Amino acid sequence: MEDEEAAAMLQAVGRQVKLWREAAGMKQSELGPAIGYSEEMVSSVERGRRAPKPDFLDNSDVVLGAGGKLSAMKEDVEKAHFPKKVRDLAKVEADAVEMGAYAGLHVHGLLQTEEYARALYVMRRPAFAEEEIERHVAARMARKSVFDRVPHPEFTFVQEEVTLRRPLGGRLVMRRQLEHLLDVGQMRHVTIQVMPTEREEHAGMAGSLQVLKLRGGKTLGHSEGQLYSRLITDPREVQKLEMRYGMIRAQALTPGESLAFIKKVLGEVT
């Protein structure tokens, strides 16, 4: 496991499986075949070394008569399986009432389709294992639940023009991604703008950024680079990001112009 928080969660789940198994008077060698898994897998889960799949917990719940208590742990296990930096960012996004983001290299994570996100992780070097790719894609898709929160947070995004034109994953994947941007852009609590490549003045040359205003009134920043992802809490640094993002929005196309621009690019993708 890459972090203590995730390891502690899996150990807690493993202890619960073991306690329910022992209470039912079953051995690991008996529980495994009863739920469709090997004895080794049961042992690994109970020791917190492996993350149990949803059906492992569901089947164990039925066989051990846990009354839904083991099945209820599926969501926690799923979150623990996500990369720590994703969990940390998702927690902040879940508490945000307003979020603004500028994306300069690819479509912002919250706006990505599953196909587009998978294409991004497939092309990573050094190459990710298939399981690692699926783990990252699942984590990114799970973050998109913030769009469904009520009351709705206010979202603004500024996408660099090149992110709309670079056919990551192939033209069909990019076409569906552009269509998705147009759909999301119609939401009343979402504003998407495009920064044209032809702009001579551009406040975002230092890279992508994110500004999040939380329920309690605090504002945080987020920055991600080649080998790091960090939340920015220093008020002075956050203030710089807020000012920079405001300038980026002012230099970009208006929301109406931006949706029209995305439609134009979509029409060019064949």
Side-chain angles (χ1 to χ4, degrees):
M1 297 305 300
E2 68 174 317
D3 63 86
E4 294 180 0
E5 182 183 356
M9 171 56 68
L10 294 188
Q11 288 168 3
V13 172
R15 282 196 297 271
Q16 286 300 310
V17 173
K18 181 178 181 180
L19 288 172
W20 281 102
R21 175 180 60 78
E22 291 177 341
M26 296 184 72
K27 298 179 180 179
Q28 292 178 343
S29 59
E30 296 172 326
L31 177 60
I35 63 174
Y37 283 88
S38 66
E39 176 184 354
E40 180 184 1
M41 182 62 180
V42 174
S43 175
S44 294
V45 168
E46 290 188 353
R47 286 183 289 170
R49 295 179 58 186
R50 297 281 298 276
K53 294 185 179 299
D55 66 332
F56 182 104
L57 293 174
D58 284 338
N59 294 344
S60 296
D61 194 277
V62 173
V63 171
L64 300 177
K69 293 180 176 63
L70 292 179
S71 291
M73 294 181 170
K74 288 186 293 185
E75 184 177 348
D76 292 327
V77 171
E78 181 182 16
K79 291 179 179 178
H81 196 54
F82 295 161
K84 184 178 186 302
K85 66 178 183 179
V86 175
R87 296 201 313 273
D88 291 344
L89 180 57
K91 288 178 183 177
V92 176
E93 288 174 343
D95 194 41
V97 295
E98 185 178 332
M99 194 204 81
Y102 162 67
L105 297 177
H106 52 69
V107 173
H108 189 274
L110 290 177
L111 297 175
Q112 292 174 11
T113 64
E114 186 172 338
E115 295 170 306
Y116 184 93
R118 181 171 286 104
L120 282 175
Y121 285 114
V122 165
M123 68 181 66
R124 285 286 182 93
R125 293 297 181 271
F128 283 165
E130 190 63 32
E131 181 179 347
E132 187 76 355
I133 292 172
E134 294 307 315
R135 185 165 74 105
H136 280 280
V137 171
R140 181 155 292 181
M141 293 301 101
R143 280 175 55 204
K144 296 173 68 172
S145 63
V146 294
F147 286 113
D148 302 323
R149 272 178 39 209
V150 178
H152 295 308
E154 290 294 323
F155 294 97
T156 63
F157 299 91
V158 180
Q159 288 289 154
E160 195 69 38
E161 178 183 341
V162 68
T163 67
L164 309 177
R165 296 189 178 280
R166 183 176 288 124
L168 302 181
R171 293 193 175 276
L172 180 57
V173 170
M174 197 64 216
R175 182 175 183 83
R176 290 173 177 164
Q177 177 61 68
L178 291 170
E179 291 171 344
H180 181 65
L181 287 178
L182 290 174
D183 289 340
V184 176
Q186 298 299 323
M187 295 181 178
R188 293 174 59 191
H189 61 298
V190 179
T191 300
I192 298 176
Q193 293 177 253
V194 175
M195 176 67 81
T197 302
E198 65 181 13
R199 288 289 193 261
E200 294 183 7
E201 293 291 329
H202 192 331
M205 287 289 93
S208 300
L209 63 90
Q210 197 162 316
V211 178
L212 305 105
K213 296 185 178 182
L214 310 185
R215 288 191 184 97
K218 188 174 183 179
T219 302
L220 301 177
H222 178 260
S223 178
E224 189 165 353
Q226 287 284 336
L227 299 175
Y228 71 87
S229 173
R230 73 184 184 100
L231 287 172
I232 300 167
T233 58
D234 186 318
R236 292 168 298 182
E237 293 186 352
V238 173
Q239 187 178 45
K240 290 178 183 178
L241 290 184
E242 285 190 280
M243 178 188 70
R244 194 169 295 168
Y245 183 62
M247 293 180 67
I248 290 172
R249 290 199 67 191
Q251 294 165 343
L253 297 176
T254 67
E257 292 170 340
S258 296
L259 291 181
F261 188 90
I262 296 173
K263 289 179 182 177
K264 176 178 177 294
V265 176
L266 175 60
E268 297 170 358
V269 178
T270 57

